[in-house]
Structure formats: structure tokens, C-alpha cells
Amino acid sequence: MMLDTTGWQPITLPDLGAGEQLVRVSIWLTQIGEAVAEGDAVVEVLLRGITFDVAAPTGGRLRRIGCFENDVVTTGDPLGWIEIEGSAGEPSA
Amino acid sequence: MIDLTILSAEPMPAAPTVTAKRRLPSWLKRPMPQPGMVYTSNVIADLRLETVCESAKCPNRTECWSQQTATFMVLGNVCTRPCGFCSVPKGKTETLQADEPERVAEAAERLGLRYVVITSVTRDDLSDGGAEHFARCVLAVRERTGAQVEVLTPDFLGNRVAISCVIESRPDVFNHNTETVPRLYHRVRRNAAYQRTLDLLQQVKDEAPDMPTKSGLMLGLGETLDELLDVFADLRAVGCDMLTLGQYLQPTPDHLPVERYLPPEEFDEIGVLAKRLGFGMVASGPFVRSSYHAGEMAAGITG
């Protein structure tokens, strides 16, 4: 089953300079369906004793979460997807 | 398009809620890396330098490197001490590289640093503990950049001649960390001695009375407030001018666990108590480290 993500933008994990250290999802700060503005903290990731807030790359609504608490993630991974505000894209069944 | 079949064969589970328990205190948060971090990383890699930022997994690395500053670590990347808090590799040490002082100086120049912090691993295998090499690094940086230089040294096993060698290179600040209270030394800082730390700081004041001295401790390892105050008093007794207090963070599961996360307010209170004892500058906070914003701290002492 394919999901039409037209108008959706991924929340991508940036390079935290972690090297060989594991980065894990700590906690989602936004719920699916919730509206966010560009730059809002949407998910907290954990890197050995410190946390980073990953920000929404665009304004819109959080539509899909791709990883969950304690999942290991790496640079470039899509952590979730935001439907861009005003986008015409709609998920299909 | 997202292929949902590869995400899960089961219906998408309910999204986690924001009421889920955080894994760490909310104040242990760092800013995202900025573009400057890539430039700093490239300079350090290009010049084959070591930094304590990387080796010790400093939580401020993204912030400091984003601002194009770093703390250089000389004498190699392998330490001869098995300290329980530190993730710098231990084991077979590396041969000293004669061109390291020049490479450190070049990095300082390329990063445009006006205040340079140089630290090192502990080299108990060298007769002078690496003091002469350390001093050469100070001189090379100053000659090439004119920058102020702060040294953060090991204890050189109390070798007074070695310590004098570093003092004679005239660093602008002489920093040597106490790390923790005496009761915890056997666990936190094996092969070190609390009195040896105090003696080193005293020697700096004896030989260079105008040279600011600095020391730092990690909190959250099980120390009590009374023990901290005793250490602060001991440091003041040997003329220590500046103090840094930061939260201990466990670098890997193989290192000492965190006994307690102190809230920022408690760091503030302890900092106030320390200041009352006469330190010229005190930096106290969860992410404070020995060389964090070192230039600003030194400016507060030297004016």
C-alpha cells in the first residue's frame, strides 16, 4: 500500500556530530494531527547524556511518525512527515 | 510516496503522547549544530589534531564547534590513567609528534582564535610527563597568532621541574582540574592524588604570582555540599582564582554512573557559595566544563 505524500516534508535528523555514538529517539513533543510552525521543536533525540530538539522544517501538521521512543536513528533518517500548510496533498487508502 | 508495506505489516500503532516520561532532565538540552561546525571539523581533520571535545564526548561540542572554537588535546589520544569518568582511550600510548605544536598553531590561526585552550592526555610514561612538548605548543600558538593561551594540564606526577617548564612558557591561565572531592578520588580519579593537585596549583602561584590559576569539579558523582565547600576552601588556600562546576555525564555504560542530576538552580546556589569564598570567577551550571567559554571567563579575571 502506498501513501501519497504529495505536499509532505520529512523531518530529517541532522548531523549531530555523534560519530560512532548512537542517537535515539527520546520523546515526541508533538502529536499526529497537531499543527506546528516552522522551527517548532517536534521531537527530542538523545545522544549519550544530552538531548537535542529536532525542529519542524516547515509549518503544517504532523501527519506521520517514522520512529518511536528508543529507536536508534542516524543522520538523514526521516523521523516523521509534516503536511505542508496549504498543501493539496491527501493520503490515499 | 511512502511504501507503508515496508514500515509495518501491522496497522500503524497509536502515536506516543507528549506525556511519556523523558529519559533525561529537561535542562540537559543542547543547541543544534550550526554551519560553523563543519568548518571547525574540517580544520581539525585536515591538520590531524585531537580535541578533548571529541575524545571526552563533551556535550558542548556542537555549540563550541559551531562557533569555531575547540580545545586542543596534545601528546596523543591515548592516556595512561584509568579515570572512571573519562572516555579518552587508555592503553598503548602514541609517539610524540614533533610537528604537533605547529599544527595546533595553524589550526588556531585558521579558526581565527584569540583565546586558545590546550589540554592533554596524561603521559606518565614520559620522564617529564610531556611538559616540554606542552610548553612548545604554547609558544607556537602565541608566536603564530598572538592569541592568549590557557593550559589545562595533567598533574605531571608532581614533577616540579616539569611543572616549571610549563609555567615558563607563560600561559595566560594555568588550569588544572581537581575533578571531585577527596573521598571519591579512589573511584573517580585513580592514580591521582588530591594533595598533588593542590600542590601543583600552589607551585604555579609561587613561581608566577600574577598568573591566574583555575580548577574544576564535576558534580553528581555522590559528593556532599560540605565536601564541596571544603574543596573550595582548599583551592582558595592555594590561591586558585577561577572555578568551574559542571554536571558529570556518563560518557559510556562502562564509565561511572551519574549519581544525581543537579538542577540549574542548585548549580547557581553552589556557585554563589563558592564566590563568597573569594574566587575571582566562578562558572557553575549543568554544561559548564573546564574550558567552556574560557576566554570570557579569563577576561573577567584579567579585565
Side-chain angles (χ1 to χ4, degrees), chain B residues 72-293:
Chain B
F72 303 105
M73 188 172 76
V74 300
L75 303 176
N77 190 36
V78 180
C79 191
T80 51
R81 299 269 179 101
C83 297
F85 63 90
C86 184
S87 63
V88 172
K90 285 77 170 165
K92 183 170 168 39
T93 51
E94 301 167 353
T95 304
L96 291 186
Q97 297 173 7
D99 67 338
E100 185 175 51
E102 285 308 318
R103 286 187 281 116
V104 172
E106 181 176 346
E109 183 180 56
R110 286 165 64 171
L111 292 171
L113 297 177
R114 303 310 306 154
Y115 193 92
V116 179
V117 183
I118 303 173
T119 189
S120 76
V121 293
T122 299
R123 292 296 300 264
D124 293 332
D125 57 316
L126 300 174
S127 60
D128 71 342
E132 192 270 337
H133 185 95
F134 215 127
R136 286 180 51 223
C137 291
V138 175
L139 296 173
V141 167
R142 183 178 300 123
E143 183 176 334
R144 184 154 184 167
T145 69
Q148 291 183 295
V149 181
E150 174 173 322
V151 297
L152 172 55
T153 74
D155 64 16
F156 298 110
L157 284 174
N159 181 334
R160 295 185 64 88
V161 172
I163 296 167
S164 292
C165 178
V166 179
I167 295 170
E168 286 164 12
S169 69
R170 305 304 303 183
D172 296 274
V173 173
F174 200 119
N175 189 350
H176 174 68
N177 282 336
T178 309
E179 306 294 8
T180 188
V181 300
R183 177 175 59 85
L184 299 178
Y185 256 54
H186 71 285
R187 191 160 57 90
V188 174
R189 205 183 172 200
R190 291 195 299 269
N191 298 9
Y194 178 68
Q195 188 60 47
R196 190 189 297 155
T197 287
L198 297 178
D199 290 345
L200 183 152
L201 293 168
Q202 180 71 67
Q203 181 178 345
V204 176
K205 280 301 181 186
D206 290 343
E207 295 183 14
D210 295 333
M211 184 178 294
T213 52
K214 183 177 177 184
S215 193
L217 287 92
M218 301 168 289
L219 306 191
L221 285 160
E223 70 287 331
T224 68
L225 179 59
D226 284 344
E227 289 175 321
L228 287 175
L229 294 177
D230 286 344
V231 171
F232 299 165
D234 288 343
L235 289 172
R236 283 300 302 142
V238 295
C240 186
D241 299 289
M242 293 185 275
L243 181 69
T244 60
L245 305 168
Q247 171 70 55
Y248 167 67
L249 296 176
Q250 185 187 38
T252 79
D254 296 329
H255 291 85
L256 293 171
V258 176
E259 296 292 333
R260 196 165 77 92
Y261 290 103
L262 284 75
E265 306 76 48
E266 192 168 346
F267 271 102
D268 290 342
E269 291 168 5
I270 295 172
V272 167
L273 293 173
K275 200 74 172 15
R276 285 184 190 153
L277 291 175
F279 289 98
M281 289 293 288
V282 175
S284 181
F287 287 115
V288 169
R289 295 295 183 268
S290 307
S291 52
Y292 185 57
H293 291 260

Side-chain angles (χ1 to χ4, degrees), chain A residues 13 21-25 67-74 77:
Chain A
L13 181 69
Q21 297 180 78
L22 296 181
V23 180
R24 294 183 183 274
V25 174
C67 52
F68 297 90
E69 189 173 317
N70 209 41
D71 283 353
V72 175
V73 289
T74 56
D77 279 354

Side-chain angles (χ1 to χ4, degrees), chain A residues 15 17, chain B residues 35-49 51 54 61 65-66 68-70 111:
Chain A
D15 185 1
Chain B
M37 178 164 172
V38 174
Y39 178 76
T40 304
S41 183
N42 289 341
V43 169
I44 289 167
D46 186 39
L47 291 167
R48 297 171 286 110
L49 293 172
T51 65
E54 289 176 291
R61 177 173 163 239
W65 285 29
S66 294
Q68 293 186 203
T69 186
L111 292 171

